[in-house]
Amino acid sequence: MSKKPQTKRRRPGLQWATFLAPVIAIAGIIIAAGALAGSGDEPTTADAAPDFTLTDTEGDTVQLAEVLEERDALLYFSMGVGCDGCFLQIPEIAAELENRDIEFLPIMVDRADWLAAEAERLQVGMPIVVDPDRSVSEAYGMVGQHGHGDRPSHSFALVRQNGELAWVRHYVEMFVPSEQFFAEMPG
């Protein structure tokens, strides 16, 4: 008489555990990465905005304290060269910021001549503030957002005339339509 081979029967709990273990591990990694990306010395809106003095692509000196003597300022930290959307964001919101009497300061970390060439190519008609050693970008917590470890991503900081950091926003998108942007930015 021949014996019928027995098939091993898997326990249902073990099947689910085998399936769920990698999913749980990946979720843990994502949560940990998010926590690390949000940690550090980035300012909160309760902080005073760090002052700075930098030069723009036209060679003019830009000091935040002087700008704030006249009006609020919106600082726009972005990737710079290699990101057309970052440059196109400037004219997308510049006119409305002027209407709201807010000084707009796009800040990028590339060389001034590279930034000027990209601005000209993309027909961006305003100077860009140059942060060559990333010190201002780092002081505002803009470096390291959304996987960009060596430069800003696409981030904004609204600074009131009294020096208060009123709003900070880091976007995943490299271009934010003006309607969305102004719906999110405080008045």
Side-chain angles (χ1 to χ4, degrees):
M1 200 180 236
S2 69
K3 237 181 173 180
K4 195 174 187 181
Q6 283 189 336
T7 57
K8 280 189 171 180
R9 186 171 175 170
R10 289 188 169 176
R11 297 190 333 226
L14 185 58
Q15 287 176 323
W16 278 108
T18 304
F19 171 75
L20 287 177
V23 172
I24 292 169
I26 291 170
I29 291 168
I30 291 170
I31 291 168
L36 288 174
S39 66
D41 295 331
E42 70 184 58
T44 65
T45 54
D47 291 337
D51 191 23
F52 60 82
T53 302
L54 295 171
T55 305
D56 67 22
T57 51
E58 294 180 352
D60 295 326
T61 299
V62 177
Q63 183 176 15
L64 181 60
E66 287 181 7
V67 170
L68 297 177
E69 288 174 7
E70 301 296 321
R71 55 188 177 164
D72 293 348
L74 181 69
L75 313 180
Y76 166 46
F77 297 88
S78 67
M79 286 181 58
V81 175
C83 178
D84 288 3
C86 294
F87 283 88
L88 296 174
Q89 185 72 70
I90 295 168
E92 177 74 4
I93 63 175
E96 180 59 26
L97 289 167
E98 185 65 33
N99 290 341
R100 294 179 182 208
D101 196 32
I102 297 173
E103 185 75 22
F104 187 30
L105 299 175
I107 301 172
M108 299 180 188
V109 299
D110 294 306
R111 290 178 23 180
D113 57 332
W114 295 356
L115 294 170
E118 283 295 276
E120 182 178 342
R121 179 179 73 84
L122 295 166
Q123 300 177 344
V124 174
M126 68 184 302
I128 296 166
V129 179
V130 183
D131 182 16
D133 64 359
R134 296 169 171 75
S135 61
V136 174
S137 299
E138 288 173 355
Y140 278 85
M142 301 301 177
V143 176
Q145 298 297 323
H146 302 298
H148 300 287
D150 68 335
R151 61 187 50 240
S153 177
H154 202 85
S155 302
F156 297 86
L158 179 62
V159 183
R160 299 290 186 201
Q161 275 191 277
N162 65 2
E164 170 198 358
L165 189 56
W167 180 68
V168 174
R169 177 73 159 89
H170 306 285
Y171 288 93
V172 174
E173 305 89 353
M174 293 295 114
F175 178 85
V176 182
S178 62
E179 300 82 23
Q180 176 188 347
F181 180 79
F182 289 110
E184 295 174 2
M185 188 186 96

